Amino acid sequence: MARWRNWTGDQMCRPAEYAEPSDVDGVVDVVRRAESTGRVVRVAGSGHSFSDVVATDGVLVHLGRLRGIRSLERTGRGAVVTVGAGTRLHELNRELDGLGLAMPNLGDIDRQTVAGAVATATHGTGARHGNLATRVVALEMVTADGTVTTIDRGDPETLAAARVPLGALGVVTAVALDVVPAFRLWARDRPMPLAEVLSGIDELADRHDHFEFHLFPHTATALTRTNDVTGVPARPQGRASRWVDETLLRNRGLGAVCRLGRTAPTAIPLLNRLAATALRPAERVDVAHRVFCSRRTVRFTETEWAMPRSAAADAVRAIHLAGGRYDVTLPIEVRFGAADTDAFLSPSWDRDTVFVAAHVYRGMPWEPYFRAVQDIARSFDGRPHWGKRHLMRADALAPLYPAWERFAAVRERLDPQRRFTNPHVTRVLG
């Protein structure tokens, strides 16, 4: 393999060796060979991380052949399903649906691998829901000496480190997830004045099972999205309506706005206001994963910050205002999550969280805007999303995570020679 690129196309590397093992024994062989040659090992999922967390000049492992459901154990509240690490979320959703099961919460993109999404604490929205790592009950991992080990609740310290490991503890080959019976969501999209959303932000987040909103810089309108569990019959979008909404507006229309903005940055305020006028009410009832997840063809880079939920309104106001000072054609996204203590490096560790994400269209300058967003987020005690761009280093990150040293101790035990590292991991973990 000459060169690997991420989904956006702005992170790349030329690994000395590219491996695509077909089973766990093949992963063991790759890790032991790397140990004998002194090369580091990184694992590529689907390339949906926006940082250089994967990039390596050592051994790059792709787990696309380790996919599908390995085992299923029914429980009183759903099931524990064990899946190959390289399983894409959309594949898992389809298989679970056929079994009458579902993930209780998902992000809006389903192209990531299960292991990659878990490793970076990928999340959806919902004030009572944790990130995807909180659903992990066990992992199978190949450690630095080539040992295959199962990490489960019998070793809670290691499991808490391995749920969000950034690929720094070993190669995860399977993940056991706690899933729930399949359910439907009543989805409602509604444009609202931003001031009204911010004044009622806590009530909106608490009243709905899943609440989020999007807003463009240079505009005063937010598109709110509420998803609530329902027992009413499915009323999915019709084919024509879905094409208008998903293909014409969210992808082709937004892509055209972004390309025009890249060509003529002075037109961005007008373009964003025009885009905001296209926001329209919509409603449907459908299987959960079809509501949670959307198709995305507009390529961008992203930064996202997890802040205390109590700071939500003030943080959004400040970041929205900052967006107006830069060439930004893509909306700010605001989501919510519950506090957890399931993973030492969880950005939601021990506090209810508001997630604020900022996006820049591919090929446009991102660092000045993202640096401004980072400064605002840090003023509200923000923690970065591990799969998104940020400019922080380990010495500044460590004080933000009360269990930082506990993660470091597990890492020292599992990978004392730093086999699973790269410049990004060194920068953020030390």
Side-chain angles (χ1 to χ4, degrees):
M1 182 181 185
R3 182 164 60 180
W4 173 90
R5 291 177 183 267
N6 71 345
W7 175 81
T8 303
D10 59 0
Q11 298 288 355
M12 61 194 71
C13 66
R14 294 182 182 274
E17 179 185 345
Y18 177 78
E20 202 167 340
S22 58
D23 54 25
V24 177
D25 288 341
V27 176
V28 171
D29 290 343
V30 170
V31 171
R32 287 179 175 169
R33 188 164 63 249
E35 182 181 30
S36 68
T37 58
R39 287 176 174 158
V40 297
V41 177
R42 298 301 291 163
V43 179
S46 62
H48 266 278
S49 286
F50 298 96
S51 72
D52 54 345
V53 65
V54 167
T56 184
D57 58 2
V59 180
L60 186 63
V61 182
H62 188 272
L63 300 178
R65 296 182 181 178
L66 277 67
R67 59 209 305 174
I69 292 178
R70 281 197 192 176
S71 65
L72 173 68
E73 180 184 351
R74 299 280 180 174
T75 66
R77 58 175 185 262
V80 172
V81 57
T82 301
V83 300
T87 307
R88 302 291 183 101
L89 285 172
H90 67 91
E91 297 167 337
L92 174 63
N93 293 336
R94 186 172 59 248
E95 291 197 55
L96 289 178
D97 192 40
L99 295 166
L101 299 166
M103 293 289 289
N105 200 14
L106 290 162
D108 63 355
I109 295 176
D110 60 4
R111 302 292 111 173
Q112 307 100 316
T113 62
V114 171
V118 166
T120 53
T122 292
H123 60 90
T125 190
R128 295 177 289 278
H129 291 271
N131 61 56
L132 265 62
T134 64
R135 310 307 302 181
V136 174
V137 299
L139 305 101
E140 180 184 80
M141 179 185 289
V142 178
T143 54
D145 62 357
T147 299
V148 181
T149 183
T150 297
I151 301 167
D152 57 23
R153 289 168 173 166
D155 184 355
E157 195 79 358
T158 304
L159 182 60
R163 283 191 174 110
V164 181
L166 280 66
L169 302 182
V171 180
V172 174
T173 50
V175 182
L177 299 165
D178 186 11
V179 298
V180 301
F183 60 99
R184 290 187 295 277
L185 289 171
W186 194 328
R188 300 175 179 91
D189 290 356
R190 184 159 71 103
M192 290 177 61
L194 176 60
E196 184 179 338
V197 174
L198 295 182
S199 66
I201 197 167
D202 285 321
E203 193 271 338
L204 286 164
D206 288 334
R207 178 156 48 100
H208 298 284
D209 293 320
H210 309 272
F211 168 67
E212 64 184 290
F213 62 96
H214 303 74
L215 61 151
F216 287 92
H218 306 288
T219 72
T221 301
L223 179 65
T224 64
R225 175 165 294 166
T226 61
N227 297 325
D228 292 292
V229 177
T230 182
V232 304
R235 296 198 307 271
Q237 272 183 306
R239 181 177 297 178
S241 175
R242 186 170 66 249
W243 184 87
V244 169
D245 183 43
E246 187 173 274
T247 302
L248 185 61
L249 295 178
R250 292 190 199 177
N251 287 302
R252 292 185 185 176
L254 183 59
V257 166
C258 291
R259 289 190 296 274
L260 284 169
R262 187 171 60 188
T263 301
T266 57
I268 287 175
L270 174 60
L271 291 169
N272 284 6
R273 286 191 287 271
L274 289 173
T277 64
L279 302 176
R280 59 194 183 97
E283 194 168 330
R284 60 179 168 141
V285 177
D286 209 342
V287 174
H289 70 86
R290 293 185 195 136
V291 173
F292 285 135
C293 305
S294 304
R295 189 169 63 92
R296 292 283 183 264
T297 62
V298 177
R299 308 240 171 173
F300 54 84
T301 191
E302 181 177 352
T303 188
E304 185 174 33
W305 293 83
M307 291 167 279
R309 184 177 143 179
S310 58
D314 291 338
V316 171
R317 284 192 193 97
I319 291 173
H320 181 237
L321 184 63
R325 298 196 295 268
Y326 300 93
D327 296 336
V328 181
T329 55
L330 287 165
I332 296 160
E333 182 179 27
V334 182
R335 294 179 287 176
F336 299 85
D340 73 80
T341 52
D342 295 86
F344 293 149
L345 295 187
S346 170
S348 298
W349 179 273
D350 204 28
R351 69 187 190 192
D352 291 335
T353 298
V354 59
F355 301 97
V356 183
H359 313 78
V360 168
Y361 184 54
R362 182 171 63 176
M364 296 182 73
W366 60 267
E367 186 169 344
Y369 176 41
F370 285 5
R371 190 178 291 277
V373 171
Q374 175 171 302
D375 289 344
I376 293 166
R378 288 297 305 117
S379 73
F380 292 103
D381 197 26
R383 299 165 180 160
H385 186 302
W386 293 113
K388 313 294 175 70
R389 285 189 182 270
H390 66 90
L391 303 167
M392 297 187 70
R393 304 184 66 86
D395 56 351
L397 287 164
L400 303 178
Y401 293 86
W404 184 272
E405 293 302 327
R406 294 167 71 183
F407 177 89
V410 173
R411 185 186 181 202
E412 183 64 27
R413 172 163 52 83
L414 293 182
D415 186 21
Q417 302 301 318
R418 299 298 184 260
R419 182 70 51 212
F420 304 102
T421 191
N422 68 355
H424 176 90
V425 172
T426 298
R427 176 169 68 85
V428 302
L429 293 183

